């Protein structure tokens, strides 16, 4: 995401943050450029390095929110369209994004769709042949606002948790309209979450695969469809390279309970603590080198 410190709205800041990540990360990490009314002229140069342009139309964490039409039109005019414009859009703003995609004939990817009316509107746009794709996050598939009394601030995210009817609508479109499973990983610490002004967002990277493999065991989708949603189609949408010497190995039948204990994420908690799941990561090979095996990071 581009809402780093500093935000990724200029080529210099983008390259600085990218270099820091490249120096530390074991795997390849691609960043979105951020849309900002003060730096629209930087978009063509940013487009040569970024995985896409991220536009925040609704409330999120950080300063990058676009509220005026002039800036939006500038983004669509200046972004070359080699990679998609990714939009955090909720409710009516989904319709706005679809309209802009049609008007400028540019690919738009809708991030973390969470509501029934949103997913159905995107389905209609696809039947018209518009260049739109979308993702859903596991926390919007496995949690609803009914879980908020239990989770409290740990269940606060953007978009917020929705109704059980909205959750059912996402599952109803998982095999047709949905293009990607994305975690929207936001690992705020327990200290931050328990403060007087808790930031929105939840961790999700290491729980996404077991949650979705559990859905495979429940017959909600096939393993082939899950591979498409978590690997094949994301690579296609964002123009990511093939990685023939990188793969994961999974025990799809392993059954266990997700727990706050032993997580690798630095925040040390998950909203799925105590949930029974099926499917466990066994080994990770990056560039033909074994880096993770049976719960141990060996890189």
């Amino acid at each position: 995401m581009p809402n780093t410190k500093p935000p990724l709205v200029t080529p210099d800041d983008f390259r600085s943050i990218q270099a820091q990540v490249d120096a530390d990360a074991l795997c390849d990490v691609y960043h979105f450029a951020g849309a900002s009314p003060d730096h629209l002229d930087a978009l063509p140069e940013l487009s040569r390095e970024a995985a896409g342009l991220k536009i925040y139309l609704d409330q999120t964490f950080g300063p990058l929110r676009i509220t005026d039409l002039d800036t939006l039109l500038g983004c669509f005019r200046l972004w070359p369209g080699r990679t998609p414009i990714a939009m955090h859009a909720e409710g009516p703003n989904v319709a706005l994004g679809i309209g802009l995609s049609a008007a400028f004939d540019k690919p738009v990817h809708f991030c973390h769709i969470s509501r029934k009316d949103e997913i159905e509107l995107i389905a209609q746009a696809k039947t018209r042949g518009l260049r739109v794709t979308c993702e859903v996050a596991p926390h919007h598939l496995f949690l609803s606002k009914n879980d908020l009394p239990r989770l409290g601030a740990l269940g606060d995210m953007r978009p917020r948790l929705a109704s059980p009817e909205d959750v059912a609508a996402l599952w109803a479109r998982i095999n047709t309209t949905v293009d990607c499973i994305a975690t929207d990983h936001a690992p705020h610490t327990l200290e931050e979450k328990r403060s007087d002004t808790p930031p929105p967002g939840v961790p999700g990277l290491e729980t996404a695969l077991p949650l979705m493999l559990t859905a495979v065991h429940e017959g909600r989708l096939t393993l082939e469809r899950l591979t498409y949603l978590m690997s094949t189609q994301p690579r296609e949408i964002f123009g990511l390279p093939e990685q023939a010497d990188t793969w994961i190995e999974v025990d799809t039948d392993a059954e266990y309970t997700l727990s706050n204990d032993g997580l690798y994420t630095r925040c040390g908690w998950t909203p799925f603590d105590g949930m029974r799941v099926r499917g466990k990561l066994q080994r990770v090979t990056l560039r033909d080198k074994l880096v993770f095996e049976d719960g141990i990071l060996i890189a």
Side-chain angles (χ1 to χ4, degrees):
M1 294 298 106
N3 53 345
T4 52
K5 293 182 179 180
L8 305 183
V9 296
T10 70
D12 286 345
D13 287 336
F14 186 95
R15 294 181 189 118
S16 175
I17 295 293
Q18 186 72 59
Q20 292 176 42
V21 173
D22 289 344
D24 295 334
L26 293 176
C27 63
D28 296 329
V29 176
Y30 294 83
H31 285 98
F32 286 122
S36 167
D38 299 323
H39 299 283
L40 290 179
D41 58 342
L43 293 182
E45 184 175 352
L46 284 167
S47 73
R48 293 194 285 270
E49 302 179 60
L53 173 65
K54 181 68 179 287
I55 299 178
Y56 296 91
L57 292 180
D58 290 275
Q59 183 183 5
T60 186
F61 185 70
L64 296 180
R65 183 180 180 186
I66 302 301
T67 58
D68 64 285
L69 188 57
D70 282 347
T71 299
L72 266 179
L73 295 176
C75 289
F76 274 80
R77 279 195 303 266
L78 293 169
W79 191 254
R82 181 184 61 83
T83 53
I85 296 173
M87 306 187 84
H88 175 133
E90 302 178 38
N93 280 333
V94 174
L96 174 61
I98 291 172
L100 289 168
S101 174
F104 287 87
D105 190 28
K106 290 187 176 177
V108 168
H109 179 74
F110 291 101
C111 302
H112 34 62
I113 289 297
S114 62
R115 264 55 177 182
K116 178 181 179 181
D117 54 358
E118 297 166 356
I119 195 68
E120 292 183 351
L121 183 59
I122 291 169
Q124 286 293 320
K126 288 188 170 195
T127 65
R128 302 293 192 272
L130 298 182
R131 301 172 67 186
V132 298
T133 54
C134 72
E135 67 192 38
V136 295
H139 49 256
H140 289 129
L141 289 170
F142 290 90
L143 299 172
S144 75
K145 62 183 180 181
N146 292 352
D147 294 290
L148 286 174
R150 171 177 61 88
L151 291 171
L154 299 185
D156 183 28
M157 62 200 69
R158 300 293 181 273
R160 290 179 170 87
L161 291 177
S163 70
E165 182 183 14
D166 290 311
V167 174
L170 299 182
W171 281 114
R173 296 284 185 179
I174 199 76
N175 290 302
T176 53
T177 305
V178 176
D179 295 281
C180 307
I181 302 298
T183 64
D184 197 26
H185 182 71
H188 299 291
T189 65
L190 285 174
E191 182 181 9
E192 290 175 303
K193 280 293 198 176
R194 290 168 176 165
S195 69
D196 293 335
T197 56
V202 296
L205 277 177
E206 61 196 288
T207 55
L209 185 59
L211 287 168
M212 296 309 301
L213 286 170
T214 301
V216 170
H217 276 278
E218 294 172 348
R220 297 186 181 215
L221 72 167
T222 65
L223 188 59
E224 291 74 19
R225 178 66 179 174
L226 182 59
T227 302
Y228 175 85
L229 293 171
M230 298 190 77
S231 177
T232 308
Q233 183 67 339
R235 190 169 60 239
E236 176 69 21
I237 291 170
F238 296 103
L240 304 179
E242 294 277 358
Q243 294 176 297
D245 57 356
T246 292
W247 67 89
I248 66 171
E249 298 171 56
V250 179
D251 181 351
T252 57
D253 293 320
E255 187 171 3
Y256 60 104
T257 301
L258 294 176
S259 171
N260 290 335
D261 298 326
L263 293 175
Y264 290 91
T265 182
R266 292 179 182 179
C267 70
W269 65 276
T270 169
F272 302 106
D273 180 47
M275 182 175 177
R276 295 289 291 176
V277 292
R278 297 280 295 274
K280 193 166 190 176
L281 183 66
Q282 291 184 306
R283 283 174 289 277
V284 176
T285 299
L286 291 174
R287 302 184 189 90
D288 220 20
K289 178 181 178 182
L290 186 67
V291 297
F292 177 89
E293 185 173 28
D294 295 331
I296 300 174
L297 188 67
I298 58 178

